[in-house]
Amino acid sequence: MDYYSKSVNKLIQELTRLPGLGTKTAQRLAFHIINMPKEHVESLASAMVTARREVRYCKECFTITDQELCPICSNGNRLHNQIMVVEEPKDLVAYERTGQYKGVYHVLHGVVNPQLGITPADIKMKELIKRLEGDVDEVIIATGSTTEGEATAMILSKFIKPTGIKVTRIASGVPVGGDLEYVDEITLMRAYDGRIEL
Ligand code: ZN
């Protein structure tokens, strides 16, 4: 590693912090970067800094936004008494792409996974329970159909049912182990329309 200049070594070292980047790939990227036009590098670096600094969680649904409330939560035309629970912001985006869903969301930022030591306390579950104190008619659980997604759905329904709020689960039109992000819009809407009460 000491064959390169200090600054190149530092760049390689920083790049290896990114997921999926081994030393070889980091070296290749570092050399690509030092050969890029200066203004492109500056714009890349500043986009990274700005995104990290300005992005935050919506205080209502916990999706990623740059406002206190995301555009969906601050939209008075959405049905705020219908909450769809998803694993990640990208799942919210997948449902938004259908243009059909009129309710709001709650992003858990993960699923319960005992093997990885992820408990309900590690995801935004208590934040969801807190939201149920408001005017909520239905919670639609749209976690994935993986073992962890199903387990999380079960835990959620156990928590929510005693409140008397209707709990539904999207139909299993979504392929097992399927990532919502890659499911087409028609399948997603079918899963939503065919949801069943838990
Ligand atoms: Zn929001």
Side-chain angles (χ1 to χ4, degrees), residues 100-117:
Q100 304 290 310
Y101 179 64
K102 303 286 178 240
V104 292
Y105 298 89
H106 188 88
V107 182
L108 291 173
H109 291 277
V111 276
V112 172
N113 188 333
Q115 271 162 352
L116 295 177

Side-chain angles (χ1 to χ4, degrees), residues 16-196:
T16 55
R17 289 179 199 251
L18 297 173
L21 284 195
T23 310
K24 270 195 181 153
T25 316
Q27 281 180 11
R28 200 159 41 84
L29 277 179
F31 285 110
H32 180 79
I33 290 168
I34 55 180
N35 284 308
M36 275 163 70
K38 265 186 191 156
E39 61 273 20
H40 288 185
V41 178
E42 271 155 23
S43 132
L44 170 65
S46 100
M48 286 161 79
V49 172
T50 309
R52 181 62 188 88
R53 190 176 51 215
E54 291 183 3
V55 161
R56 50 176 156 165
Y57 291 153
C58 167
K59 71 167 188 178
E60 193 77 16
C61 73
F62 294 90
T63 194
I64 290 167
T65 178
D66 45 16
Q67 307 284 323
E68 199 177 3
L69 274 182
C70 74
I72 299 166
C73 288
S74 56
N75 184 344
N77 293 323
R78 303 292 293 234
L79 303 170
H80 288 259
N81 54 1
Q82 196 178 60
I83 301 177
M84 184 187 285
V85 182
V86 293
E87 293 180 21
E88 302 291 346
K90 63 182 164 60
D91 304 323
L92 175 156
V93 172
Y95 268 100
E96 279 306 283
R97 270 205 309 260
T98 69
Q100 304 290 310
Y101 179 64
K102 303 286 178 240
V104 292
Y105 298 89
H106 188 88
V107 182
L108 291 173
H109 291 277
V111 276
V112 172
N113 188 333
Q115 271 162 352
L116 295 177
I118 304 168
T119 70
D122 298 313
I123 58 177
K124 303 282 180 203
M125 202 179 272
K126 52 184 181 310
E127 288 82 353
L128 172 66
I129 307 298
K130 179 97 186 110
R131 283 180 77 183
L132 304 182
E133 291 167 12
D135 185 15
V136 179
D137 290 335
E138 182 181 354
V139 176
I140 304 139
I141 304 174
T143 50
S145 48
T146 56
T147 313
E148 294 79 22
E150 295 294 354
T152 307
M154 288 313 296
I155 296 168
L156 277 172
S157 93
K158 258 187 212 156
F159 266 111
I160 302 167
K161 274 189 134 177
T163 64
I165 296 168
K166 186 176 172 189
V167 190
T168 55
R169 176 90 174 104
I170 55 164
S172 47
V174 179
V176 173
D179 212 327
L180 282 188
E181 190 187 9
Y182 300 112
V183 177
D184 70 83
E185 284 136 45
I186 294 164
T187 309
L188 274 186
M189 274 331 285
R190 230 177 254 153
Y192 169 73
D193 289 334
R195 65 194 188 277
I196 42 159

